[in-house]
Amino acid sequence: MDHFEYRDGVLHAEDVPIPEIAAEVGTPFYVYSTATLERHYRVFDEALAGMDHLICYAMKANSNLAVVATMARLGAGADVVSGGELARALKAGVPPEKIVFSGVGKTRDELRMGLEAGIRQFNVESEPELEALDEVARAMGVTAAVAIRVNPDVDAKTHPKIATGMSENKFGIPIARASEIYARARAMAGIEVKGIDVHIGSQLTDLAPYEAAFRKVADLTRQLRAEGHEITRLDLGGGLGIPYRRSNAAPPLPFDYGAAVRRTLGDLGCEIEIEPGRLIAGNAGLLVSSVIYRKQGDGREFLILDAAMNDLIRPAMYDAWHDIVPVREPGPDDPVAPVDVVGPVCESGDTFTRARALPHMDAGDLLAFRSAGAYGAVMSSEYNSRPLVPEVLVNGSSVAVIRKRPTLEEMLGRDAIPEWLS
Ligand code: LLP
């Protein structure tokens, strides 16, 4: 459920008509709903009720400071994957003791940043990383709290570019070698092992791969405890999918996910950490765009938008589907006809969808891509020298621009012409 609905024939973000925002900031822009963000957090929190748990919002999905601050205010922790995200988490008010640091290639500088901030936990993904963290921590005279990410060799049955839990993927240590690597970690003076970490992929629409992975983690917990390790935390990663296409069957709900956690890991007495990103932010955001031209091609029609692949890359990158809706509500009897929805960027990959059945829209009309709050703005670029899209946060009837569109001067100002050319 989200808070983007038609009221009096016009799409609203909570209590704010989308055309009002468009008039204020221009198109294209991202708009997020506070009520939806909050709701998604609470749904997870309730799904894990009764178990000691911490929800570490995966900031990679949407790391705007205002979005992260919205999460922090609810009590969420953060899952960060770079020094940049760590800096954002701290600036947005996430307490360091609720920050976990994931990622397969943390640099020594990033490890140091995490230790200096006093974060809760490093999710370590390899032996060389373990060695580096031990070394950096000892040099600083501190110990690093660690969960080791295991690769359970489970097929998450999602898009290959976002599946992470198979042995062929670059993530984690092979689960079969866990015993040996945990023993090494225990011998390191700079490392304090706290738990096990697992994340098998993103946009999962089936609970079976989760259950399979969680059972392996449960077995490993028992085995490591028998070997004398104190395992008190289990980080289960993120990955629960969202309904991108409203006409399709909905994926399992956080409630069902919580039940699977309870079933497989509930008797171990561990603190459960989860790292949802997409489910928190995805359906809490729209990308709003204007039609520039409606163009008749050879046997097909094109809607050419002012948004492009640089603003929302998911269709080009993962063949992802985003529901597209006109901002003016179509009548029940308005005809729909197939159109290709494309951006102005000079490559054919800049196609949001082909032959999509949509109500008639013309130049100047506003439309919205749904489910664009996660992996939308964060993955945007200035390809074709198109300034980054602005972001807007709505809260009831309040509206705030949380990242403004850079001016052309600001965009050009980041480059420098060397002396020998001037
Ligand atoms: N934890 C770890 C270690 C991760 O790698 C990820 C996502 C998450 C948590 C959050 O997963 P989520 O709950 O959002 O599914 N750009 C792609 C998605 C990449 C996901 C990468 N890792 C997309 O647009 O579909």
Side-chain angles (χ1 to χ4, degrees), residues 304-316:
I304 304 172
L305 307 186
D306 63 359
M309 64 190 290
N310 69 297
D311 306 314
L312 177 66
I313 204 170
R314 301 193 69 260

Side-chain angles (χ1 to χ4, degrees), residues 58 60 79 162 199 202 238-239 275-278 314 318 375 379:
K60 62 169 76 69
D79 168 43
I162 52 176
H199 169 79
S202 194
E275 304 167 352
R278 191 190 311 266
R314 301 193 69 260
Y318 316 109
Y375 307 112
M379 293 181 80

Side-chain angles (χ1 to χ4, degrees), residues 11 43 72 77 118 141 238 301 306 343-344 351:
L11 190 64
V43 163
E301 271 195 282
D306 63 359
T351 297

Side-chain angles (χ1 to χ4, degrees), residues 105-145:
K106 304 174 200 77
T107 65
R108 278 162 199 266
D109 282 344
E110 288 176 321
L111 296 174
R112 202 170 295 114
M113 265 180 86
L115 289 168
E116 271 163 10
I119 63 165
R120 172 186 180 83
Q121 170 183 315
F122 292 86
N123 290 336
V124 171
E125 299 223 15
S126 66
E127 289 175 277
E129 184 191 342
L130 199 55
E131 284 157 21
L133 182 57
D134 176 45
E135 212 176 280
V136 175
R138 279 188 290 112
M140 291 172 65
V142 297
T143 54

Side-chain angles (χ1 to χ4, degrees), residues 193-218:
V193 171
K194 294 277 192 192
I196 305 173
D197 172 42
V198 71
H199 169 79
I200 57 174
S202 194
Q203 186 55 17
L204 270 69
T205 52
D206 181 1
L207 285 180
Y210 275 125
E211 291 229 26
F214 294 169
R215 286 192 196 283
K216 290 190 180 193
V217 169

